[in-house]
Amino acid sequence: MAFRRRTKSYPLFSQEFVIHNHADIGFCLVLCVLIGLMFEVTAKTAFLFILPQYNVSMPTADGETVHYHYGLKDLVTVLFYIFIAIILHAVVQEYILDKISKRLHLSKVKHSKFNESGQLVVFHLSSVIWCFYVVVTEGYLTNPRSLWEDYPHVYLPFQVKFFYLCQLAYWLHALPELYFQKVRKEEIPRQLQYICLYLIHIAGAYLLNLSRLGLILLLLQYSTEFLFHTARLCHFADENNEKLFNAWAAVFGVTRLFILTLAVLAIGFGLARVENQAFDPEKGNFNTLLCRLCVLLLVCAAQAWLMWRFIHSQLRHWREYWSEQNAKRRVPAAPRLAARLIKRESGYHENGVVKAENGTSTRTKKLKSP
């Protein structure tokens, strides 16, 4: 199964060979794990890659429910889903984005940004739907107190843990994709910034047992990012389309305010009132004053940095807009030549005298009075 149309063969395991065939290599590795499920000897190892580990049966009023906690074996599961993300990335690029970009005839800079936004639109849309489903089914929206009550939230439902593992796998797969997609050197620092920010926040919420709060914050953040990248794709199709950018600018500031308010409410006030405030990594309890301050400082610093970048980009956009308007006003208008009405006389000219075509005089005849 080939994801890329290749017109040239490359030496085996060379740099160009790996770049053009990385999706096929990942597909072969995933296929080997799936084949391992067919045999009893390797089935246990294959399940280690595919399913979340560390399941615990907990008694309830209706029976028993299975919950999960994290451990080192999660790294193996994340590795497997990194290859899944690479395969899906190649499918979206080959069968959707490449076909659309050929019709738009974009420049190299715009083509790189178009591919970036196209991939992130698909990811953010699927993540928003998935995250909203998890939040609603687990009751985190209807009961905001559940964000800090009964902390630490060591035991997670299957869908919550699987969501976090897939999120970590996607943002980790974005690092080698910078090499596979041959991203321009000017774009690499900017993309590394937001990739590392997502990894730090998602891994922090997962390891510090703040998974419930992390789900709400990710839902808010992904909704805003989905709107931004959708607006950028529409701008590439029609450069005069600025309506979605205006909507994103309004939503961006509101989202920053909601994230800060929710983080301060849950961490600064909610966790501060929980009785168990002892530092116990074995039981997953990190509810101390120092840990709460560090988490709040990280969230506030990230939101302040995003807001500063937003204000800086908006000011630059406005300066460019007004400079273009002033340049148009300074250009003098071309003088218009007065249109002259030319009255053509019938006949033809001969030695400067107008003669009629049938030999008659062109002068008007006077009527004689009787």
Side-chain angles (χ1 to χ4, degrees), residues 52-56 67-75 151-156 161 164-165 168 203-211 280-286:
Q53 303 300 309
Y54 304 104
N55 55 322
V56 177
H67 285 71
Y68 297 82
H69 61 91
Y70 62 81
L72 291 176
K73 293 181 182 179
D74 291 340
L75 296 176
Y151 181 85
H153 308 134
V154 178
Y155 300 106
L156 307 176
K161 177 169 182 175
Y164 271 96
L165 293 180
L168 291 172
Y206 183 66
L207 296 176
L208 296 178
N209 295 314
L210 296 171
S211 56
D280 192 354
E282 294 182 359
K283 295 183 179 180
N285 190 358
F286 302 93

Side-chain angles (χ1 to χ4, degrees), residues 58-70:
M58 302 182 65
T60 58
D62 300 332
E64 290 185 353
T65 57
V66 179
H67 285 71
Y68 297 82
H69 61 91
Y70 62 81

Side-chain angles (χ1 to χ4, degrees), residues 128-181:
V128 165
I129 296 173
W130 189 4
C131 188
F132 182 75
Y133 174 78
V134 173
V135 167
V136 171
T137 54
E138 296 297 331
Y140 300 152
L141 283 180
T142 57
N143 185 18
R145 289 173 176 259
S146 62
L147 299 180
W148 60 82
E149 285 183 346
D150 301 328
Y151 181 85
H153 308 134
V154 178
Y155 300 106
L156 307 176
F158 172 81
Q159 58 182 355
V160 175
K161 177 169 182 175
F162 190 60
F163 176 81
Y164 271 96
L165 293 180
C166 291
Q167 293 295 314
L168 291 172
Y170 180 85
W171 291 113
L172 285 173
H173 113 279
L175 295 174
E177 283 293 343
L178 297 176
Y179 170 74
F180 294 144
Q181 298 297 326

Side-chain angles (χ1 to χ4, degrees), residues 79-97:
L79 178 62
F80 175 79
Y81 285 99
I82 286 175
F83 290 109
I84 296 292
I86 290 174
I87 296 170
L88 295 178
H89 187 112
V91 170
V92 172
Q93 184 69 41
E94 177 71 19
Y95 296 102
I96 299 177
L97 298 180

Side-chain angles (χ1 to χ4, degrees), residues 167-172 175 194-204:
Q167 293 295 314
L168 291 172
Y170 180 85
W171 291 113
L172 285 173
L175 295 174
Y194 71 76
I195 291 172
C196 293
L197 274 178
Y198 275 117
L199 285 174
I200 292 172
H201 283 76
I202 294 172

Side-chain angles (χ1 to χ4, degrees), residues 288-343:
T288 60
L289 179 61
L290 180 61
C291 291
R292 292 198 302 268
L293 287 177
C294 291
V295 172
L296 278 178
L297 182 62
L298 177 63
V299 174
C300 293
Q303 301 307 311
W305 180 72
L306 290 174
M307 199 65 194
W308 179 83
R309 286 191 58 189
F310 170 76
I311 294 173
H312 180 72
S313 63
Q314 290 296 109
L315 291 176
R316 183 182 60 187
H317 177 72
W318 288 338
R319 284 197 299 266
E320 292 176 355
Y321 173 77
W322 286 114
S323 63
E324 290 178 0
Q325 295 297 323
N326 294 331
K328 291 180 181 179
R329 293 175 184 176
R330 292 174 183 173
V331 176
R336 295 182 179 180
L337 297 176
R340 298 180 179 178
L341 297 177
I342 301 174
K343 185 176 180 181

